[in-house]
Amino acid sequence: MTTIDPFARFGEVPQFNLTSSVMTDGGPLAAAQYGVGAGGQDVSPDLHWSGFPAETQSFALTVFDPDAPTGSGYWHWAVFNIPADVDSLPTGAGVANSVLLPAGAVVMPNEIRQPTFIGAAPPRGTGTHRYQFVLHALDVADLGVDPQATPAVLGFNVHFHTLARAVLEATGVAGGAA
């Protein structure tokens, strides 16, 4: 399955590959990627990418649930200034103060204002949720975004520097980790 680029309406860019050993595009999240309160472990998945433009200066990663019953979705994780020579993140890189993230990478606060990956926890009765892992190849090494800003502010700045984009979309349901 090829996920439709959720940002295409703002102007299409070339796509590159984003994969994980614990989830497939269009498939379900693994139990560990659910939140602790939902029977999971709040563990960010391993991510691997290839095929991005040679002129890439850095990457920005966001994890977003557009189906959260908020009217504005739900940001699970946002990392930017990932160096251009990095092509993967290991399982668990999303913990607070992670030593698994590359030097220079900046983690923004998620929806609960914690600079970590927070796992899926779809409320009962809200159906299947999509979890969009989106990696942007950028034309700058440092976005210059305030690390305490919101992922939406990051997205605004990323828009103007995106060379290419990779999308991996997994699904989750209430009780999915149980």
Side-chain angles (χ1 to χ4, degrees), residues 48-62:
H48 310 270
W49 53 93
S50 63
F52 50 88
E55 61 270 24
T56 299
Q57 297 294 305
S58 70
F59 296 98
L61 171 69
T62 58

Side-chain angles (χ1 to χ4, degrees), residues 1 17 64 72 102 104 119 128 152-153:
M1 174 178 172
N17 301 310
F64 182 69
S72 60
T128 300
V153 170

Side-chain angles (χ1 to χ4, degrees), residues 54-138:
E55 61 270 24
T56 299
Q57 297 294 305
S58 70
F59 296 98
L61 171 69
T62 58
V63 181
F64 182 69
D65 172 4
D67 303 309
T70 64
S72 60
Y74 195 95
W75 295 98
H76 288 261
W77 196 25
V79 184
F80 67 99
N81 290 354
I82 299 169
D85 62 351
V86 172
D87 63 5
S88 65
L89 294 176
T91 300
V95 299
N97 303 309
S98 178
V99 297
L100 299 175
L101 287 173
V106 178
V107 182
M108 301 186 93
N110 56 31
E111 288 290 343
I112 60 170
R113 304 306 296 156
Q114 298 298 314
T116 65
F117 172 84
I118 185 169
R124 294 203 183 281
T126 61
T128 300
H129 288 230
R130 295 166 290 155
Y131 295 88
Q132 298 170 338
F133 292 75
V134 180
L135 187 68
H136 304 265
L138 305 176

Side-chain angles (χ1 to χ4, degrees), residues 7 58 60 62 80-81 108 136-140 142-147 149-163 165:
F7 296 92
S58 70
T62 58
F80 67 99
N81 290 354
M108 301 186 93
H136 304 265
L138 305 176
D139 64 3
V140 294
D142 184 342
L143 272 171
V145 175
D146 180 348
T150 65
V153 170
L154 174 65
F156 178 83
N157 286 276
V158 161
H159 170 77
F160 297 101
H161 293 285
T162 298
L163 298 169
R165 182 178 302 117

